[in-house]
Amino acid sequence: MITKRIIPCLDVRNGNVVKGVNFEGLREISSPVELAKYYSECGADELVFYDITASSDGRKLFSDILCETAKNVFIPLTVGGGINTVDDFDRVLKCGADKVSVNSGAIKNPQLIEQAAKLYGDQCVVLSVDIKRVDGVFRVFAKGGRENTGLEAIEWIKRGVDSGAGEIVVNSIDTDGVKKGFDLEMLNEVCNAVSVPVIASGGAGNIEDFITLFKTLPKVDAGLAASIFHFGEVKISDLKKEMNKNGIPARL
């Protein structure tokens, strides 16, 4: 049986890990290098590193911090932020990333997904989508959740998978940092629309939220969270033990 993955997320701004609510009110937490090392040693299945202001600032991702972080990680590392060209893919992979996450760059240039998938393989290309309800419709947002693209989210995700994205990260802006549980309605629609792995992001507040996620939506492959892990509210080892108790396969 395929195990469900637990993935901490490092949102990095100006060299430090930050966290906010609904993508706003960011505050600094810790060094990404130290946190990455900690998670690599304490049972995380993968790690996500986002340079969250690279796109909105119109700059490239901080390579030096990424290289140092990758040296301390012995689990798969997905990296995103300011990925606009296949050259950006190449640079990030050479820094030590295993997978590259595209968001705003793919919105600006939808052909980027296909180009990268042909060069590096579908398994390397992760489409990260920031989604918010606007008048009852799931809309795609760009530039760290600041800009409504007008794109309908499910159609955009299907298009990305058809172009070669091998994995989807669904970031619910509505539930981000609120700690009231994952956006099950949104995730269900995504899971029913595509056959590639889907990672749920936004809303985890406790262990029970993960249990509910995987039991309600068995098609979801992984749960991603930030603050509850960063602040020690949930230990990954405790979460995985509880998952196994509830019949949800997890790597201990």
Side-chain angles (χ1 to χ4, degrees), residues 48-197:
V48 169
F49 178 113
Y50 286 141
D51 186 339
I52 60 170
T53 56
S55 291
S56 59
D57 291 349
R59 59 170 171 78
K60 294 186 182 297
L61 183 142
F62 290 123
S63 297
D64 53 346
I65 298 167
L66 172 58
C67 288
E68 190 63 29
T69 301
K71 283 181 198 170
N72 289 280
V73 172
F74 304 101
I75 52 178
L77 176 63
T78 298
V79 176
I83 307 296
N84 296 298
T85 66
V86 288
D87 286 341
D88 291 328
F89 267 79
D90 186 64
R91 187 167 53 86
V92 166
L93 290 168
K94 283 176 178 171
C95 284
D98 298 283
K99 294 184 275 190
V100 182
S101 175
V102 289
N103 189 331
S104 297
I107 293 167
K108 283 186 285 188
N109 175 21
Q111 292 179 326
L112 176 60
I113 296 172
E114 184 177 359
Q115 292 166 351
K118 282 180 179 175
L119 277 172
Y120 304 109
D122 293 10
Q123 80 289 341
C124 181
V125 183
V126 179
L127 177 60
S128 179
V129 189
D130 298 335
I131 309 174
K132 186 176 183 179
R133 290 167 179 79
V134 179
D135 297 325
V137 178
F138 294 132
R139 295 292 181 194
V140 177
F141 278 65
K143 296 183 178 176
R146 296 171 181 82
E147 182 181 289
N148 184 353
T149 66
L151 291 167
E152 197 279 321
I154 306 304
E155 287 305 313
W156 169 244
I157 289 168
K158 285 162 70 174
R159 182 178 171 187
V161 171
D162 289 343
S163 296
E167 193 166 74
I168 303 295
V169 178
V170 180
N171 305 302
S172 171
I173 296 175
D174 294 323
T175 61
D176 173 70
V178 178
K179 300 183 182 178
K180 298 288 187 183
F182 290 95
D183 198 324
L184 301 178
E185 178 194 15
M186 182 185 293
L187 289 162
N188 184 52
E189 288 210 25
V190 175
C191 286
N192 288 334
V194 298
S195 57
V196 299

Side-chain angles (χ1 to χ4, degrees), residues 233-245:
E233 296 165 39
V234 170
K235 288 186 177 177
I236 292 174
S237 57
D238 292 342
L239 167 56
K240 288 188 167 185
K241 285 174 189 170
E242 200 60 34
M243 286 168 63
N244 278 327
K245 276 187 199 172

